[in-house]
Amino acid sequence: MSTDVIRVLSPTAILGYGFPVASFEDGLSRNPDVIAVDAGSTDPGPYYLGAGVSFTDRQAVKRDLEYLLIAGRSRKIPVLIGSAGGAGARPHLDWCVDIVKEIFEEQKLSGRLAIIPSDISAEVVLEALEEQWIERVPSGPELFSEAVEASTFIVAQIGEEPIMAALEKGADVVICGRSYDPSVFAALPILRGFSRALALHMGKILECAAIAAIPGSGSDCMLGTLDHDGFVLEALNPERACTVTSVAAHTLYEKSDPRLLPGPGGALDLTDCRFEALDDRRVRVTGTRFVPTQDYFVKLEGARPIGYRTVSIAGARSPDFIEALDNILDGVRQQVRNNFPEVQEDDATLLFHVYGRNGVMQALEPETKVNPHEIGLVIEAVAKTQASANTICSFARSSLLHFGYPGRLSTAGNLAFPYSPSDFQAGAVFQFSIYHLMAIADPVSRFPFELLDLEVAS
Amino acid sequence: MKTLKDVATVIRSKNAGPYELTFDVLFPDITTYERVVESGVVNAQSVSQLYGIPLEDVKGIIHFAPALAIKVTIKRPRVSGNLGESDVYGAQQHAPFLTLAIN
């Protein structure tokens, strides 16, 4: 195989989001050197990290992995999975490894499996805090030891270095804990001597697969071809195309500044980056630089439990009720407070989401003088125990249903419930406790990997 | 009077990490992009008014010509997913930009 170019196949934006088989097979026909996929995101919120649960479905992840692993093993090219199980902590990693092992067994595959945990113990973070190796990110708060101690899981976004180390030891499949999204795409190219800047920038775009194409899709394949001066992006589905605008626009996605993209060990500098159309469907990118930081920083993510949630969903259609709603909700809050001391003592929280008014934007909503003919209400209680959340939600719901107010015409009940039962237990509630940078001495030895030889069962 | 939605091809919002919300306004061609950039209607003052937030919570206004885009970043009213959250992904906070008047 030529060492002048390296081809990276990205089947889907998130493992489990799927892809058309035709696109994937077309990608394989281009002889990729590696199949890489990102499985993670903090987008779905703190629950998944805090609870150790994947936000993707097991069957959907298994479906995607079957194609990837069968193709990777039959072609003898590595399959690299970043941010296993979504949040990438040990339970997520084990969940993904279990699926991979199951597929190896069912499909009678063999090969070397590397597992790279990226959990960081509270002790290590506390020590780093003490040594002032922790930094804030823009708009983020300072980190205090109390938040570290309260976290159920803490992970670091690993860079490409531990993955390169696993590949050097002959790993055929690498499953990473939480990783910086581009890492799995950049590891093999960097190992083969290609530019770190270009490999990471290509990974940055490939990690979302065909989202960077037009029409965009998180469930379709992209191919990246890297040479020593730049890289070419191509959507594998003929119905999609990479255009200069679609690729450049993707550079903006979920980032606060498209010109400087910080990651483990440094930042991608796109100031002198050029995007050019090779034809109607392919874009070539050149000029990306990598600016290393003096210390090697990884991003830490942690989540902590804050209680249990119960919600009730209802609608209202009475104009007099809708008009008096603010006073009515204040009245209900007062009734709940009078009956339940835990709400008074801030051990429990009662919230109302008013859809049709400002349910989506709350304080950011500029349309404050609306007059909807109907509204949707979510009554939300969060308390120390599920039983207490149930009680508060139930009490607030029944108080609101029968709340009397001046001018009330509809005296049989204020709310329309779509469901019986009307209340839903939403279980444990988490919040992000850590989203900070930590300086580490060595990006490889901090994240040692486990290497397993998976043989075909006899 | 024309508004941003009459000339932009994409107006979107999304989390940029759990502490910030970022808005992308994309234009169909360089002429439109430059016209809106030069008009200066998207600025820290106008964004703070659109969203009713303090000026210091507008974290950046970036003109990114390669993507024919203006990017605006603000501090999130609360950390994503914290108690009281209404938009975990931050994907539905863009609407005030739609009707921003342009010269």
Side-chain angles (χ1 to χ4, degrees):
Chain A
M1 200 164 291
S2 162
T3 54
D4 293 339
V5 297
I6 184 164
R7 294 183 189 86
V8 181
L9 175 59
S10 168
T12 181
I14 299 260
L15 189 64
Y17 279 17
F19 45 81
V21 175
S23 301
F24 185 65
E25 282 174 352
D26 193 32
L28 293 179
S29 76
R30 313 293 287 277
N31 287 321
D33 296 275
V34 55
I35 302 172
V37 66
D38 173 47
S41 176
T42 52
D43 264 352
Y47 171 79
Y48 301 95
L49 172 59
V53 172
S54 171
F55 65 82
T56 47
D57 177 73
R58 193 181 197 277
Q59 275 309 313
V61 168
K62 189 177 174 187
R63 179 266 180 197
D64 286 1
L65 274 174
E66 272 171 358
Y67 281 101
L68 271 50
L69 294 171
I70 291 169
R73 293 317 300 131
S74 67
R75 294 173 161 264
K76 307 273 178 249
I77 56 171
V79 175
L80 311 179
I81 302 156
S83 297
R90 192 72 219 203
H92 307 94
L93 189 60
D94 290 343
W95 179 85
C96 187
V97 168
D98 189 61
I99 300 172
V100 167
K101 284 183 178 169
E102 196 173 291
I103 294 169
F104 263 68
E105 215 172 286
E106 286 171 2
Q107 303 294 334
K108 304 199 184 318
L109 304 175
S110 65
R112 296 182 115 184
L113 170 65
I115 302 163
I116 314 180
S118 75
D119 301 75
I120 303 278
S121 69
E123 291 70 36
V124 167
V125 182
L126 290 171
E127 195 189 313
L129 200 55
E130 185 88 0
E131 302 288 334
Q132 297 187 318
W133 291 342
I134 302 284
E135 284 193 10
R136 291 192 298 183
V137 300
S139 303
E142 209 178 312
L143 183 61
F144 296 102
S145 56
E146 186 267 338
V148 178
E149 285 155 1
S151 301
T152 47
F153 297 105
I154 306 170
V155 291
Q157 290 189 13
I158 63 168
E160 67 277 7
E161 298 87 345
I163 306 165
M164 290 162 66
L167 287 169
E168 276 187 304
K169 286 276 188 248
D172 301 307
V173 176
V174 182
I175 309 178
C176 310
R178 185 68 171 131
S179 31
Y180 176 54
D181 296 346
S183 298
V184 283
F185 301 90
L188 190 69
I190 297 173
L191 190 63
R192 297 241 178 113
F194 288 86
S195 144
R196 186 183 192 186
L198 291 170
L200 284 169
H201 191 191
M202 185 170 83
K204 188 104 221 162
I205 299 165
L206 287 181
E207 65 104 346
C208 284
I211 289 179
I214 186 164
S217 168
S219 306
D220 209 340
C221 312
M222 281 270 275
L223 183 73
T225 305
L226 175 65
D227 58 46
H228 289 285
D229 301 311
F231 59 90
V232 175
L233 295 159
E234 185 178 354
L236 290 159
N237 185 335
E239 285 167 25
R240 309 185 193 285
C242 285
T243 68
V244 168
T245 324
S246 77
V247 171
H250 184 70
T251 306
L252 302 165
Y253 190 61
E254 298 173 334
K255 301 287 166 290
S256 46
D257 187 340
R259 298 162 306 187
L260 204 66
L261 308 171
L268 285 174
D269 182 347
L270 271 55
T271 317
D272 295 325
C273 202
R274 284 178 305 281
F275 301 87
E276 48 189 321
L278 288 186
D279 50 40
D280 288 348
R281 303 197 55 248
R282 294 180 305 157
V283 168
R284 181 171 170 80
V285 183
T286 52
T288 317
R289 285 187 308 236
F290 185 81
V291 189
T293 42
Q294 193 159 18
D295 291 319
Y296 190 104
F297 284 97
V298 287
K299 193 179 282 170
L300 299 181
E301 296 166 355
R304 65 189 290 180
I306 56 163
Y308 295 83
R309 175 181 283 133
T310 305
V311 298
S312 186
I313 301 169
R317 182 65 176 78
S318 290
D320 45 296
F321 177 82
I322 294 172
E323 186 159 358
L325 189 64
D326 286 331
N327 289 336
I328 295 168
L329 295 182
D330 277 346
V332 172
R333 278 189 200 98
Q334 200 55 51
Q335 277 189 17
V336 172
R337 234 177 267 135
N338 290 343
N339 283 270
F340 298 99
E342 54 267 49
V343 181
Q344 258 166 15
E345 287 154 15
D346 285 339
D347 271 353
T349 308
L350 173 66
L351 295 162
F352 298 100
H353 301 265
V354 185
Y355 289 94
R357 232 172 50 174
N358 65 350
V360 174
M361 294 189 63
Q362 301 188 52
L364 295 183
E365 179 58 67
E367 304 275 347
T368 50
K369 291 182 179 62
V370 289
N371 192 16
H373 75 283
E374 68 171 27
I375 54 159
L377 276 169
V378 175
I379 305 166
E380 173 185 358
V382 175
K384 295 285 175 212
T385 64
Q386 188 73 63
S388 172
N390 290 350
T391 305
I392 292 163
C393 184
S394 159
F395 188 89
R397 184 243 311 139
S398 57
S399 302
L400 187 57
L401 175 63
H402 298 297
F403 198 87
Y405 56 92
R408 187 186 190 208
L409 296 173
S410 161
T411 53
N414 298 322
L415 300 173
F417 295 104
Y419 307 115
S420 168
S422 56
D423 302 356
F424 304 90
Q425 295 188 21
V429 181
F430 290 84
Q431 70 178 33
F432 284 120
S433 50
I434 307 175
Y435 195 83
H436 292 75
L437 303 176
M438 181 174 80
I440 58 172
D442 177 7
V444 179
S445 63
R446 167 55 72 194
F447 305 103
F449 57 88
E450 304 150 26
L451 200 56
L452 306 175
D453 260 317
L454 299 182
E455 308 280 352
V456 180
S458 49
Chain B
M1 187 167 41
K2 278 198 169 179
T3 60
L4 215 45
K5 75 172 185 318
D6 298 324
V7 297
T9 46
V10 171
I11 300 177
R12 67 187 179 194
S13 70
K14 192 77 197 278
N15 291 347
Y19 305 134
E20 291 181 335
L21 268 177
T22 192
F23 304 90
D24 300 336
V25 184
L26 274 57
F27 300 96
D29 51 67
I30 187 79
T31 319
T32 315
Y33 164 76
E34 282 177 348
R35 204 174 76 223
V36 177
V37 168
E38 280 160 21
S39 78
V41 289
V42 182
N43 60 59
Q45 196 76 46
S46 66
V47 172
S48 108
Q49 273 166 12
L50 272 183
Y51 285 87
I53 55 172
L55 204 54
E56 64 265 26
D57 284 357
V58 181
K59 296 298 174 185
I61 310 245
I62 289 164
H63 302 137
F64 191 57
L68 306 175
I70 300 177
K71 182 178 253 309
V72 175
T73 301
I74 67 170
K75 187 177 176 181
R76 256 181 153 279
R78 58 171 58 73
V79 178
S80 172
N82 271 13
L83 218 52
E85 180 61 76
S86 61
D87 187 358
V88 172
Y89 290 63
Q92 281 295 309
Q93 304 300 310
H94 59 291
F97 276 103
L98 299 172
T99 50
L100 182 66
I102 52 170
N103 309 331

